Amino acid sequence: MIFAVWIPLLVPFLAVPAARRLAEALPPRPAAWLLAAASTGLAVCSAAALGLLALAGALRLPFVAALGHLVTPLDEVPGAVALAAACASAALLTLCGVALIRTARRRLGEVRAARRRLAPSTGELAVVRDPCPYAYALPGRPGRIVVTTGMLRALDPAEREALFAHERAHLRGRHHLFLAAAELAAHLHPSLRSLRAPLEYVLERCADEAAAGAVGDRGLAARAIGRAALASRTGEAALRPRAALAAVAGPVPRRVAALLDRGPGAAPLRSRGARLIAAALVACLCASAVSAVEAAADLHGGIETAQGED
């Protein structure tokens, strides 16, 4: 456990650079799944490592050792070092847990407040009388496509259909869950914070491709996204819940260029380079998970030895 427990805490610093390159190296859908899985898995493993360090130190305390029926103390690391590491780990876990809960409650509150502002309706489309042009996919049951009268006036009918198809793709793909997982994971390890932006980009690219397929015209989809972004340059960010995705979010020029310059399927799979990046990220995730399991097994073995079991 002495060495294995530190690997899940260090691996994210190595994995994040590779993960960020996936946004351009892989097609949007597999990139989104891999980024979300990597951020969640690395965060869980790092939290588990902190928990193991805290437990190993706590078992040095007489009353905790008595609860665990330890006959002899754990002897893997000196007591002073174990207690210091345990205190630091427990403090970090507490801070991370509080931040995670506060963020989750804040995001849920934002979504609920946004839904309360909408007129009661069973339809998917919610039109808000507001001259400020904005539109977004509001998660929930049922999911709603929120669009203002200002945005409807800014687009022609064909562009509106492309915009609605984009937001509908967010709802059907439950993209808000991908984004929520990455945001919550960022509270468990600081290096994972930089994964939200590339994940949001590939999720928007997924919806872009879905919109292009729905209207059957990549140029129309690109034009709708570009005009919507130009129309909503001010005010939209303050009105949209952070948990909701929108066609005007992220680097719009890159997304428009991807629709116009590439064929169906978005970013090409750059064979060897893309596979190497994906393999490196999967290897980092596996190394982190295996190390966390190995550290847990070592601690369990140490506890059994301290209990006097053969």
Side-chain angles (χ1 to χ4, degrees), residues 114-130:
R115 294 186 72 87
R116 285 195 296 268
R117 290 194 295 266
L118 301 179
S121 173
T122 57
E124 179 186 54
L125 186 64
V127 179
V128 178
R129 292 186 177 278
D130 190 340

Side-chain angles (χ1 to χ4, degrees), residues 265-288:
L269 181 61
R270 297 168 187 168
S271 58
R272 184 176 300 178
R275 289 170 185 160
L276 285 176
I277 295 172
L281 184 57
V282 171
C284 288
L285 183 57
C286 291
S288 186

